[in-house]
Amino acid sequence: QLQLQESGPGLVKPSETLSLTCTFSGGSISSYTYYWGWIRQPPGKGLEWIGNIYYSGTTYYNPSLKSRVTISVDTSKNQFSLKLSSVTAADTAVYYCARRVGGDWYFDFWGQGTLVTVSS
Amino acid sequence: QSALTQPASVSGSPGQSITISCTGTSSDVGSYNLVSWYQHHPGKAPKLMIYEVSKRPSGVSNRFSGSKSGNTASLTISGLQAEDEAHYYCCSYAGSSTLVFGGGTKVTVL
């Protein structure tokens, strides 16, 4: 059974780096077919695409976040990760990881999301 | 890259049909047939309902349909049911390997 599970600290201090990991189970993250992505939803707001990564390490980022975002993949652990630096309260959100169909631009499978609050 | 525009809320009675609009620009919705729609019940994982404007994934009810005209995409839910009450988000490819989402629409079944 397919599962995407986000994990990481639920509380991050302003100016620090937010770090999350997404573990994929029920399949291989090294599949040629899929990309892997991060999406977030601030409280009371809509979804915002953060970026995508292929198993080879190729990345695509939202231009508005690109200077602060790093997405990486660890195929040995079937995981991919998100780092967002210099966070502020505006980065408080539910963060989702998801699977994107390669050659297309939609997410066919999502994790349940994890809330990250930026506060001192 | 601005968020796609969706109405904040849409409501309908059971059995009725409703349509949610998703307005973008000639740089995203208008240029690519790569619009997708997601259903989101609070606390759960978002679910893909429509991809490539009008295609339905296996397992999604045929009560859900998608279309596009110019810079506006639409999601229609026919035969509205209580279980359809959720938030719905559109998403479009925006060129240069980027994606943009809409602000979301809350669907209420009266």
Side-chain angles (χ1 to χ4, degrees):
Chain A
Q1 191 164 356
L2 296 180
Q3 186 175 16
L4 283 165
Q5 182 66 58
E6 305 88 350
S7 60
L11 181 64
V12 181
K13 290 182 168 57
S15 79
E16 295 189 345
T17 296
L18 178 160
S19 296
L20 294 174
T21 296
C22 181
T23 302
F24 179 54
S25 54
S28 173
I29 206 166
S30 300
S31 167
Y32 297 127
T33 308
Y34 299 105
Y35 285 70
W36 308 92
W38 289 97
I39 303 100
R40 70 180 183 178
Q41 183 176 29
K45 295 187 178 182
L47 297 171
E48 179 180 32
W49 174 69
I50 299 172
N52 286 106
I53 191 166
Y54 194 50
Y55 79 96
S56 62
T58 300
T59 53
Y60 306 97
Y61 295 135
N62 185 325
S64 67
L65 297 170
K66 187 173 184 177
S67 64
R68 299 193 292 129
V69 172
T70 301
I71 298 176
S72 59
V73 64
D74 186 339
T75 55
S76 67
K77 295 182 179 178
N78 232 28
Q79 295 176 336
F80 60 105
S81 298
L82 169 69
K83 290 188 184 300
L84 181 64
S85 64
S86 304
V87 297
T88 69
D91 295 309
T92 294
V94 175
Y95 286 77
Y96 297 95
C97 61
R99 186 178 75 174
R100 196 202 101 198
V101 177
D104 214 312
W105 286 86
Y106 63 88
F107 297 99
D108 70 335
F109 192 71
W110 295 61
Q112 296 239 352
T114 187
L115 174 63
V116 179
T117 302
V118 178
S119 174
S120 56
Chain B
Q1 190 183 57
S2 299
L4 306 176
T5 300
Q6 298 181 233
S9 63
V10 173
S11 62
S13 299
Q16 286 186 331
S17 293
I18 61 168
T19 296
I20 303 167
S21 61
C22 170
T23 301
T25 69
S26 58
S27 297
D28 39 60
V29 175
S31 286
Y32 308 97
N33 289 324
L34 293 173
V35 176
S36 52
W37 289 90
Y38 303 88
Q39 178 190 65
H40 189 205
H41 289 103
K44 294 194 173 183
K47 177 184 177 183
L48 175 69
M49 305 303 285
I50 295 287
Y51 66 100
E52 292 178 4
V53 175
S54 60
K55 296 180 180 178
R56 263 190 319 274
S58 173
V60 171
S61 171
N62 59 10
R63 298 185 298 104
F64 292 84
S65 61
S67 62
K68 190 186 87 167
S69 177
N71 296 338
T72 298
S74 299
L75 174 71
T76 298
I77 309 174
S78 58
L80 198 62
Q81 299 180 1
E83 67 209 49
D84 300 331
E85 188 162 292
H87 284 88
Y88 291 83
Y89 295 90
C90 61
C91 179
S92 175
Y93 180 67
S96 301
S97 300
T98 65
L99 281 168
V100 61
F101 279 94
T105 298
K106 179 175 171 56
V107 168
T108 301
V109 180
L110 302 172

